[in-house]
Structures are given as structure tokens and as C-alpha cells.
């Protein structure tokens, strides 16, 4: 991934004009008759990233998918930096959002986690796109507003609500990355994690002494037997979400007390 492949790497004014479709955006009525639209450019880019990853995404590859010249794509989007923001905002706009009203707070938080996990499974490139400086488009803003509802009315300060959501999404993203990496490793090697460990087992049995590494051998064997691998993304998600909810409960109870 290039150094500029992160959110808000482009010109902030031009990016926000595009995100909110404000006057002055690139791709206005100036110049020759247009053959496509900003939305079509974004949709083509998302399709490429979903199918081939961000490394395959270039202005040229988007142009080829749309059947226009590479220079024509710049009529609609100034460059790849702005395009990434548009892509991210677009998938955020379309992601599932359940109605949270009336749910207990633990269920609300679990729903938010599940919605984000589903998004990252569908658009794996999102898990690797740094968003510490988010471009505040309509999709990003709607997502943030929706997710904050899980923490509203619990006695937390606004800063604590923001921090709790950030912590939750960081947990979901970290687990999603490992699941994605595991799937890619299996696809690249042509063998599952279980098959890989079976091939490595004879050598490991010779070098891993239970006397020298008692905890590593005992606990590692238990995990391997349970997961048929060294790691289970589903188990890590369920375990981690439960511990996250417990941590939030302690904070909420301290505020209400």
C-alpha cells in the first residue's frame, strides 16, 4: 500500500466537495459531454478493490472497467487519494444499520460490532485503510451518528462515548484482519491452517520440549485441538466482544454509582 493510501490524503476541500456533491466539485458540467458519473467511478473502484485488493486499484484500472480513457477519470475524481475517501464513504453509506431503539445497551453494542464485522468481511480492503483522519462525508457521518446511539443515555461523557466506540471498532478491525490474513494464507498456499500444522507437526514435536516450554506446549496444544489451528477468528471475536462488554459495564456502573 502506498504512503498516500489512507483516508484524507488528498486536498480536503476538493474531497469534501465530492463527498457532499457540493458546487465546485470535480466532474462538474465544464468541458466535453460526460460519459460517466462520479458514482459510477466510485462503484467501479469498489468492485476492483473487492475483487483484487487495493494494490490493483489505479485510475487506469478504473478507466478500463468503465470503458473510458485514463485521463477522463480525472474529470470526475482528482486522483486516487480522493477516490479512496469516496469509496470508503460509499460503503459506509450502504452498510447495514439496524434500529437500536429499545434494545439493552449490551445488545446495541453487539449489533454495532456485528455490522462492522460484516462490512469488513464484504470489503476486506477497508480493514487495511488507515482512517485516523476521517473525511467527514455523509456515509462516515451517518455511521458515526448511528453507532454512538449504542452508548447514549448510559451516563458516559461525550468523550467517553467517542472513546468507547473507537475501542470497539479497533477490536473488530483487529480480529477481521487476522481472519482475512488467514484466508489469504490458505488461498496462497493451497492448504488450510490444519493441513499446514499437520505438515509442521513432526518437526515441532522434536524441538518443542514440554520441560523447557511447559505453558507454551500445554496451552498451545489445547488451542490447536480446539481450533484445528493456532487461531480461530470466530472464537477470538466472541471472547473479545464479551470481555469488551464487561469492560464497558464496569465503566457504566461506575458512572451510575
Amino acid at each position: 500500500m502506498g504512503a498516500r493510501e489512507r483516508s484524507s490524503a488528498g486536498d480536503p476541500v476538493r474531497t469534501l466537495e465530492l463527498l457532499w456533491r457540493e458546487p465546485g466539485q470535480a466532474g462538474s458540467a465544464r468541458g466535453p459531454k460526460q460519459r460517466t458519473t462520479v458514482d459510477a467511478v466510485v462503484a467501479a473502484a469498489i468492485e476492483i478493490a473487492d475483487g483484487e485488493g487495493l494494490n490493483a486499484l489505479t485510475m487506469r484500472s478504473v478507466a478500463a472497467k468503465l470503458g473510458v480513457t485514463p485521463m477522463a477519470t480525472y474529470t470526475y475524481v482528482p486522483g486516487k487519494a480522493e477516490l479512496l475517501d469516496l469509496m470508503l464513504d460509499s460503503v459506509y453509506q450502504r452498510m447495514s444499520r439496524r434500529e437500536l431503539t429499545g434494545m439493552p445497551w449490551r445488545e446495541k453494542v453487539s449489533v454495532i460490532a456485528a455490522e462492522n464485522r460484516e462490512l469488513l468481511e464484504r470489503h476486506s480492503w477497508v480493514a487495511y485503510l488507515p482512517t485516523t483522519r476521517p473525511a467527514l462525508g455523509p456515509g462516515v457521518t451517518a455511521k458515526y451518528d448511528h453507532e454512538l446511539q449504542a452508548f447514549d443515555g448510559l451516563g458516559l461523557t461525550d468523550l467517553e462515548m467517542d472513546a468507547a466506540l473507537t475501542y470497539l471498532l479497533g477490536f473488530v478491525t483487529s480480529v477481521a484482519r487476522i481472519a482475512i490474513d488467514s484466508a489469504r494464507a490458505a488461498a496462497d498456499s493451497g492448504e488450510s491452517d490444519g493441513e499446514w500444522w499437520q505438515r509442521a507437526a513432526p518437526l515441532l514435536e522434536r524441538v518443542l520440549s514440554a520441560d523447557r516450554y511447559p505453558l507454551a506446549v500445554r496451552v498451545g496444544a489445547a488451542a490447536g485441538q480446539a481450533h484445528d489451528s493456532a487461531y480461530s477468528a470466530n472464537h477470538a471475536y466472541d471472547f473479545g466482544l464479551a470481555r469488551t462488554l464487561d469492560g464497558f459495564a464496569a465503566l457504566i456502573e461506575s458512572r451510575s454509582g
Side-chain angles (χ1 to χ4, degrees), residues 93-251:
Q93 279 189 294
R94 300 199 311 269
M95 72 183 292
S96 173
R97 292 190 180 93
R98 286 180 57 187
E99 175 56 54
L100 302 177
T101 304
M103 290 183 185
W105 73 262
R106 281 179 177 265
E107 186 177 355
K108 290 181 181 180
V109 173
S110 298
V111 166
I112 296 305
E115 289 173 351
N116 279 274
R117 191 184 188 198
E118 179 185 359
L119 173 78
L120 296 176
E121 288 175 348
R122 184 173 300 176
H123 306 288
S124 59
W125 53 272
V126 175
Y128 298 91
L129 189 64
T131 56
T132 53
R133 185 185 291 176
L136 298 180
V140 170
T141 305
K143 179 179 185 291
Y144 183 55
D145 190 80
H146 166 71
E147 293 170 351
L148 285 171
Q149 294 177 45
F151 302 96
D152 193 26
L154 300 178
L156 303 180
T157 67
D158 288 350
L159 185 58
E160 288 171 337
M161 290 171 58
D162 177 82
L165 178 58
T166 300
Y167 185 88
L168 176 71
L169 299 185
F171 155 72
V172 174
T173 300
S174 67
V175 175
R177 283 177 178 170
I178 297 176
I180 294 165
D181 291 342
S182 297
R184 288 175 177 172
D188 292 343
S189 66
E191 58 186 1
S192 67
D193 283 353
E195 292 169 337
W196 188 92
W197 282 103
Q198 284 180 0
R199 289 206 299 126
L203 175 61
L204 292 176
E205 289 175 357
R206 293 197 301 270
V207 298
L208 291 183
S209 166
D211 293 333
R212 187 175 183 183
Y213 310 107
L215 289 177
V217 171
R218 190 189 81 210
V219 175
Q225 184 175 6
H227 308 317
D228 192 30
S229 179
Y231 182 88
S232 165
N234 288 333
H235 180 268
Y237 177 84
D238 293 339
F239 183 88
L241 180 59
R243 304 293 76 74
T244 299
L245 292 172
D246 290 344
F248 289 161
L251 176 63

